[in-house]
Amino acid sequence: MTATETRSIADVAAAAGIPAHMGTSIDGPVGIAASLHLACALPAVTWGSELFGPLLMRAEHLATPLRYEGGELHLPDGPGFGVELDPDAVRAFSRR
């Protein structure tokens, strides 16, 4: 399902008065950034979410880690999802 399709479903639910919930996502930092951007773009998302996957990882994959502060994940403000992969980490986790 694309982000546009997800947005369409969320808009229909919001029009029907059904609040959205992002749920839990045990994912890497890029997936978490994507989920966070979706949650911030949908006005119907009123419940909290558990986007803590990167906190469980032993190694960092991003040039600048996601910022968790005060019990909240802060929205990255760079281009795209706001994150940049660390090229050395990508090489370290790549298989030939």
Side-chain angles (χ1 to χ4, degrees):
M1 180 176 295
T2 67
T4 301
E5 292 167 329
T6 302
R7 174 67 191 251
S8 296
I9 292 168
D11 288 343
V12 169
I18 301 169
H21 182 269
M22 290 302 291
T24 300
S25 181
I26 307 293
D27 204 344
V30 176
I32 294 297
S35 293
L36 180 60
H37 275 273
L38 180 62
C40 290
L42 299 174
V45 175
T46 57
W47 296 6
S49 185
E50 298 174 351
L51 301 175
F52 57 83
L55 296 176
L56 302 175
M57 297 183 170
R58 291 181 185 206
E60 181 56 60
H61 298 85
L62 301 179
T64 301
L66 294 172
R67 185 167 60 99
Y68 292 87
E69 187 178 300
E72 297 177 341
L73 172 58
H74 295 260
L75 185 68
D77 60 2
F81 291 133
V83 297
E84 179 183 345
L85 289 172
D86 176 346
D88 293 331
V90 171
R91 275 191 291 283
F93 288 101
S94 296
R95 294 187 212 175
R96 293 193 176 136

